[in-house]
């Protein structure tokens, strides 16, 4: 029976009885009324007096029954409405029940199969339920985890953070909390997680529990750490890079500013002629050598120190917690000793020397990077003084560096504004004092300082690369001048022009093309051009040097080694080169009378030249006695202040166009010419 069906049936029965009774009353009234009329005619009107009350009573009963029927119908309608509402409510409850049942099933599925780890946890910490993802993360099945306290899986260092967030959510201070924690799974592997916690209240059971959500971000964290490591470390040696070094330098600087007893120093290291390794064996060997260098440098330092690779073969060191500067020198000495041991790379034994610049912290420093700058300045000084040494920074070095920077700035302007000029020093045949050639010497006519010595600007030009433009201008100008003199028949057709070529210029890939272009444009005869090369330019890459020199020799251009005996000459390759002459350095000539040692060196050079069929040119001749000694040694040519200082092109013509030039024989006359 449907709910409300009983009441509906009872009301229906009552309504049916009322209709039956009402029908009987209508029929009975009609019959009585008819009989009354009939009897009234027959017997008398007194019958009417008797019957009228009966009619009134019947009418009232009729009205009562009619009203009762109306009430019954209203009651029936109301009952039907209640039945419909009750039926609708019951159907809605069934529908809601099905929805809740389905929602509960969906929640279970969402919980069990969620991609992130989920857990229901008592407020006391015991695990009530976990999903599959969390079970996999923890490396245990659900039955092994249930009833355990979840804090057992939290890394000890994160326990306080874990408990603090639980307390905040449980107190109602926040509805949920999210943070990063580390869990330790069954295999003792540490996993970094994003952990969300919220509180759920169960009103039926009058209880509460936490819902945990844990997302594994271990891979992302490792990737971030790798990116961070890569941004702060050198990819080849895995040493700190410049950015990390400067960061640690800044920290050391701040500590030293707060506590003056926290002293430290910065070392700037550069390996001498490392480029030879790359050029000789390739960059693969060079890279492996840098890795070995980094390992050795690390072994020389204490745990509080830092070594970084700044780039190329340049390294820097931050030496901290030093009580006196002697500790720094001991570390530097240990580094030099460690680096003096040959490296074995790809079966090749490689020996390197090291130059080091040192800057010690003092309260005068205002910026941490200034120490690295000053250490670099000291390194530059060590290079200038011969390499394979260390230098400690002082203020004079900084002043010198500023001066060099100013020279570089002015030199760039000089190249742009063509502020250079050439002087020409005559080269004579010592036997008859006849003019044989000229050496072109560049001078810088500074707009404010006047003539600047080549000793002051040539090294800067070499270092900055400006020597390439200057060298090309010198070669072009000298060739053009000799062509002009020859066209004017000033000195005869056998006069040659010597031009110095820098190592950097000689190593340029387009050097041959540049020389060819100048020879064609100036119209100089190649046989009248002599290029003077340094031993350094050749020894750095002897195979390349020999190839270039052979091409120049095939063109008829003469080649000479400048300042022979002062560099790194080797008899193993001298005889292979297409040379025409050797030039004895002025340092040997000037000291000829000081002792037999220099004289013996000159004898050896002359003997070598004769054996190779080369001419000998002595430079720096200042006395007649030097000429006499050189003639005894069969030296053919010479140049120096005894004959003439470097002259302008106009003075050259005035002094040497007359072939009957006379030269001074006394020192006082020599000084007059030099002045």
């Amino acid at each position: 029976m449907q709910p409300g069906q009983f009441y509906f049936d009872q009301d229906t029965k009552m309504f049916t009885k009322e209709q039956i009774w009402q029908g009987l009353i209508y029929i009975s009234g009609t019959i009585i009324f008819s009989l009354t009329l009939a009897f009234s005619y027959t017997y008398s009107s007194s019958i009417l007096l008797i019957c009228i009350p009966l009619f009134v009573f019947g009418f009232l009963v009729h009205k009562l029954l009619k009203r009762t029927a109306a009430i019954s119908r209203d009651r029936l309608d109301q009952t039907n409405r209640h039945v419909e509402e009750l039926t609708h409510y019951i159907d809605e409850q069934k529908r809601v029940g099905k929805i809740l049942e389905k929602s509960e099933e969906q929640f279970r599925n969402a919980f069990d199969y969620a991609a992130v780890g989920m857990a229901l946890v008592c407020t006391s910490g015991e695990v009530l339920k976990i999903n599959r993802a969390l079970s996999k993360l923890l490396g245990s099945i659900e039955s092994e985890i249930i009833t355990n306290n979840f804090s057992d899986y939290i890394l000890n260092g994160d326990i306080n953070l874990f408990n603090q967030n639980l307390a905040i959510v449980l107190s109602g201070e926040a509805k949920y909390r999210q943070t990063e924690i580390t869990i330790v799974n069954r295999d003792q592997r540490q996993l970094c997680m994003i952990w969300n916690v919220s509180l759920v209240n169960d009103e039926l059971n009058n209880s509460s529990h936490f819902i945990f959500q844990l997302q594994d971000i271990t891979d992302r964290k490792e990737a971030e750490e790798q990116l961070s490591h890569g941004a702060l470390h050198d990819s080849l040696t895995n040493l700190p890079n410049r950015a990390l070094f400067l960061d640690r330098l800044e920290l050391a600087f701040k500590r030293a500013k707060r506590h003056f007893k926290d002293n430290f120093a910065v070392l700037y290291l550069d390996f001498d002629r490392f480029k030879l390794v790359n050029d000789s064996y390739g960059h693969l060997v060079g890279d492996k050598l840098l890795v070995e260098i980094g390992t050795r440098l690390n072994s020389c330092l204490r745990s509080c120190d830092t070594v970084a690779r700044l780039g190329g073969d340049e390294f820097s060191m931050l030496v901290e917690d030093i009580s006196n500067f002697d500790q720094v020198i001991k570390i530097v000495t240990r580094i030099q000793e460690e680096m003096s041991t040959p490296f074995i790379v790809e079966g090749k034994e490689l020996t390197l020397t090291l130059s080091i610049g040192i800057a010690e912290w003092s309260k005068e420093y205002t910026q941490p990077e200034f120490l690295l700058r000053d250490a670099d300045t000291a390194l530059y000084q060590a290079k200038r003084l011969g390499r394979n040494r260390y230098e400690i920074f002082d203020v004079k070095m900084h002043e010198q560096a500023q001066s060099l920077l100013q020279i570089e700035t002015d030199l760039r302007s000089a190249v742009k504004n063509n502020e250079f000029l050439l002087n020409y020093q005559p080269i004579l045949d010592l036997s008859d004092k006849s003019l044989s050639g000229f050496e072109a010497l560049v001078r810088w006519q500074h707009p404010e300082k006047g003539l600047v010595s080549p000793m002051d600007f040539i090294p800067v030009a070499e270092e900055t690369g400006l020597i390439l433009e200057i060298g090309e201008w010198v070669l072009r100008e000298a060739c053009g001048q000799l062509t002009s003199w020859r066209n004017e028949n000033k000195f005869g057709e056998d006069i040659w022009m010597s031009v110095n070529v820098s190592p950097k210029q000689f190593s340029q890939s387009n050097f041959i093309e540049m020389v060819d272009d100048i020879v064609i444009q100036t119209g100089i005869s190649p046989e009248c051009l002599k290029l003077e090369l340094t031993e350094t330019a050749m020894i750095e890459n002897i195979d390349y040097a020999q190839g270039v020199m052979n091409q120049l020799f095939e063109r008829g251009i003469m080649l000479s080694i400048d300042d022979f005996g002062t560099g790194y000459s080797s008899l193993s390759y001298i005889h292979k080169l297409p040379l025409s002459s050797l030039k004895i350095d002025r340092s040997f000539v000037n000291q000829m009378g000081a002792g037999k040692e220099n004289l013996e060196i000159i004898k050896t050079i002359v003997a070598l030249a004769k054996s190779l069929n080369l001419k000998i040119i002595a430079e720096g001749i200042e006395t007649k006695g030097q000429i006499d000694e050189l003639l005894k040694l069969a030296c053919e040519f010479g140049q120096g202040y005894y004959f003439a200082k470097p002259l302008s092109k106009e003075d050259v013509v005035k002094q040497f166009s007359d072939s009957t030039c006379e030269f001074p024989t006394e020192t006082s006359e020599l000084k007059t010419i030099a002045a």
Side-chain angles (χ1 to χ4, degrees):
M1 179 179 293
Q2 295 293 329
Q5 185 67 41
F6 171 77
Y7 300 102
F8 177 78
D9 291 344
Q10 292 297 317
D11 289 340
T12 302
K13 290 179 180 179
M14 184 182 295
F15 180 72
T16 304
K17 289 180 179 180
E18 290 174 352
Q19 288 180 324
I20 293 172
W21 279 106
Q22 189 174 6
L24 291 176
I25 290 171
Y26 286 154
I27 295 171
S28 300
T30 302
I31 295 171
I32 293 171
F33 182 72
S34 300
L35 291 176
T36 301
L37 288 176
F39 280 112
S40 64
Y41 285 114
T42 307
Y43 297 99
S44 66
S45 58
S46 56
I47 297 297
L48 290 174
L49 295 175
I50 297 172
C51 293
I52 287 173
L54 293 176
F55 287 132
V56 172
F57 175 76
F59 176 75
L60 292 175
V61 171
H62 167 71
K63 294 291 287 183
L64 177 63
L65 290 175
K66 187 176 181 181
R67 183 180 178 184
T68 302
I71 293 172
S72 297
R73 284 194 298 271
D74 291 340
R75 183 180 177 187
L76 178 60
D77 292 339
Q78 186 177 4
T79 301
N80 289 335
R81 285 195 301 271
H82 287 168
V83 170
E84 289 178 1
E85 290 175 359
L86 182 60
T87 303
H88 177 73
Y89 172 77
I90 293 171
D91 292 340
E92 184 67 19
Q93 290 298 310
K94 288 182 177 180
R95 187 180 68 83
V96 171
K98 290 180 180 180
I99 291 175
L100 290 174
E101 184 179 349
K102 186 176 182 181
S103 298
E104 184 179 355
E105 182 181 359
Q106 290 175 342
F107 174 78
R108 285 196 300 269
N109 290 336
F111 181 89
D112 291 336
Y113 298 101
V116 299
M118 297 184 70
L120 299 179
V121 181
C122 290
T123 54
S124 57
E126 288 81 13
V127 179
L128 298 175
K129 185 175 180 58
I130 65 170
N131 68 349
R132 299 184 181 186
L134 184 56
S135 176
K136 185 177 180 181
L137 288 173
L138 297 178
S140 303
I141 60 176
E142 185 174 4
S143 60
E144 295 175 341
I145 301 172
I146 296 300
T147 72
N148 288 347
N149 196 297
F150 198 87
S151 61
D152 296 340
Y153 299 96
I154 306 298
L155 187 69
N156 288 337
D158 288 346
I159 286 292
N160 289 337
L161 178 65
F162 175 76
N163 290 331
Q164 288 171 5
N165 281 275
L166 289 182
I168 290 173
V169 173
L170 188 60
S171 66
E173 184 178 341
K175 292 183 178 180
Y176 74 97
R177 296 288 291 176
Q178 176 176 298
T179 188
E180 290 184 11
I181 61 171
T182 301
I183 66 172
V184 182
N185 67 8
R186 185 179 186 180
D187 299 328
Q188 298 303 306
R189 183 189 174 197
Q190 295 183 6
L191 303 175
C192 187
M193 298 283 178
I194 292 181
W195 172 55
N196 286 275
V197 56
S198 56
L199 187 67
V200 175
N201 296 312
D202 188 349
E203 296 180 356
L204 292 178
N205 298 320
N206 194 25
S207 62
S208 300
H209 58 264
F210 295 113
I211 295 181
F212 290 177
Q213 295 183 48
L214 297 104
Q215 182 179 357
D216 186 5
I217 57 170
T218 306
D219 292 341
R220 191 184 80 187
K221 277 291 186 181
E222 290 175 353
E224 289 175 354
E225 290 175 1
Q226 290 176 0
L227 288 173
S228 177
H229 183 86
L232 298 174
H233 290 77
D234 174 55
S235 59
L236 179 63
T237 63
N238 205 33
L239 294 175
N241 60 13
R242 179 183 292 271
L244 182 55
F245 182 83
L246 290 176
D247 183 66
R248 294 183 180 177
L249 175 59
E250 184 176 3
L251 292 175
F253 185 85
K254 290 179 179 178
R255 284 195 296 269
K257 279 289 186 181
R258 291 193 301 267
H259 313 287
F260 289 113
K261 64 179 181 179
D262 293 341
N263 200 7
F264 67 94
V266 175
L267 313 183
Y268 207 119
L269 304 88
D270 183 81
F271 289 85
D272 305 323
R273 295 188 176 88
F274 189 87
K275 184 175 181 295
L276 285 175
V277 176
N278 287 331
D279 293 343
S280 302
Y281 301 111
H283 286 276
L284 180 61
V285 172
D287 287 347
K288 291 185 177 181
L289 178 58
L290 288 172
V291 174
E292 291 294 326
I293 288 172
T295 302
R296 286 197 190 183
L297 290 177
N298 247 334
S299 67
C300 296
L301 297 184
R302 303 162 300 166
S303 59
C304 61
D305 301 330
T306 300
V307 57
R309 183 186 177 211
L310 302 182
D313 60 321
E314 293 185 347
F315 294 80
S316 59
M317 290 185 177
L318 178 62
V319 182
E320 299 190 68
D321 297 333
I322 54 176
S323 56
N324 58 73
F325 197 70
D326 290 341
Q327 290 180 271
V328 179
I329 301 303
K330 289 180 180 179
I331 292 175
V332 170
T333 303
R334 186 162 69 247
I335 291 171
Q336 290 179 320
E337 291 174 354
E338 185 70 24
M339 293 301 147
S340 65
T341 304
F343 293 86
I344 306 298
V345 181
E346 295 287 319
K348 300 174 179 62
E349 184 176 300
L350 304 173
T351 302
L352 298 175
T353 58
L354 179 66
S355 297
I356 304 175
I358 307 171
E360 183 183 16
W361 180 83
S362 68
K363 61 182 179 180
E364 284 76 22
Y365 280 104
T366 58
Q367 297 293 333
E369 57 267 20
F370 288 171
L371 281 103
L372 188 62
R373 176 203 63 189
D374 291 346
D376 189 16
T377 301
L379 170 65
Y380 179 78
Q381 183 74 355
K383 292 279 190 180
R384 289 181 63 248
L385 295 177
R387 299 183 174 90
N388 193 25
R389 57 185 294 145
Y390 68 83
E391 287 293 325
I392 303 170
F393 175 81
D394 60 37
V395 177
K396 291 182 179 179
M397 291 183 187
H398 183 59
E399 294 173 352
Q400 185 180 22
Q402 288 181 317
S403 176
L404 290 175
L405 179 60
Q406 186 61 52
I407 290 175
E408 178 184 345
T409 303
D410 293 347
L411 197 57
R412 292 185 184 278
S413 177
V415 171
K416 181 179 179 181
N417 298 326
N418 195 22
E419 297 174 2
F420 300 100
L421 55 87
L422 288 184
N423 284 347
Y424 303 90
Q425 187 169 42
I427 301 173
L428 290 88
D429 189 321
L430 296 181
S431 61
D432 60 7
K433 309 301 185 295
S434 62
L435 183 65
S436 298
F438 297 96
E439 180 180 2
L441 300 170
V442 66
R443 298 291 185 265
W444 177 11
Q445 184 66 49
H446 195 283
E448 297 176 359
K449 300 177 182 178
L451 283 177
V452 180
S453 169
M455 298 294 293
D456 293 332
F457 73 85
I458 290 297
V460 179
E462 285 275 4
E463 185 177 349
T464 59
L466 292 171
I467 194 66
L468 299 178
E469 295 179 70
I470 297 173
E472 182 177 353
W473 179 86
V474 169
L475 182 59
R476 191 180 302 276
E477 186 74 10
C479 290
Q481 185 59 60
L482 183 62
T483 301
S484 176
W485 283 336
R486 292 191 63 181
N487 291 340
E488 297 171 3
N489 199 24
K490 295 291 185 181
F491 308 109
E493 296 183 354
D494 296 332
I495 301 298
W496 79 76
M497 181 65 74
S498 288
V499 180
N500 292 286
V501 177
S502 77
K504 186 167 290 188
Q505 187 179 14
F506 182 72
S507 64
Q508 290 295 297
S509 59
N510 65 338
F511 180 70
I512 293 293
E513 289 78 1
M514 183 195 70
V515 173
D516 288 341
D517 181 63
I518 291 175
V519 168
I520 293 172
Q521 289 185 8
T522 61
I524 189 174
S525 175
E527 293 78 11
C528 297
L529 175 61
K530 179 182 288 188
L531 300 180
E532 295 188 10
L533 308 171
T534 63
E535 297 168 80
T536 302
M538 293 179 288
I539 196 173
E540 285 188 351
N541 193 337
I542 186 62
D543 293 333
Y544 169 81
Q546 185 175 359
V548 173
M549 293 173 74
N550 285 335
Q551 294 182 63
L552 294 170
F553 179 76
E554 291 171 0
R555 288 161 169 76
I557 296 173
M558 295 181 288
L559 300 168
S560 175
I561 295 182
D562 190 19
D563 301 334
F564 187 77
T566 61
Y568 300 88
S569 301
S570 174
L571 298 179
S572 64
Y573 68 79
I574 288 292
H575 71 280
K576 298 179 181 180
L577 302 177
L579 299 170
S580 61
S581 61
L582 298 178
K583 181 175 279 190
I584 301 174
D585 185 66
R586 67 178 65 248
S587 61
F588 299 125
V589 175
N590 291 338
Q591 299 296 321
M592 286 178 64
K596 293 183 179 181
E597 182 179 349
N598 287 293
L599 189 60
E600 291 299 323
I601 292 175
I602 294 176
K603 286 181 179 180
T604 302
I605 295 174
V606 171
L608 173 64
K610 294 299 182 183
S611 67
L612 297 175
N613 197 27
L614 303 177
K615 302 295 182 181
I616 294 293
I617 304 172
E619 62 178 358
I621 298 174
E622 296 182 353
T623 68
K624 187 176 183 301
Q626 292 172 347
I627 295 177
D628 294 339
E629 289 290 341
L630 290 169
L631 285 172
K632 290 178 184 179
L633 296 174
C635 181
E636 295 99 331
F637 303 96
Q639 65 185 94
Y641 273 27
Y642 180 82
F643 303 115
K645 64 179 181 179
L647 303 170
S648 67
K649 59 183 179 181
E650 293 82 9
D651 290 340
V652 166
V653 173
K654 289 178 183 179
Q655 185 168 341
F656 288 94
S657 59
D658 185 356
S659 60
T660 60
C661 293
E662 294 184 0
F663 302 100
T665 58
E666 300 296 332
T667 304
S668 60
E669 297 178 69
L670 172 63
K671 290 180 179 178
T672 301
I673 291 178

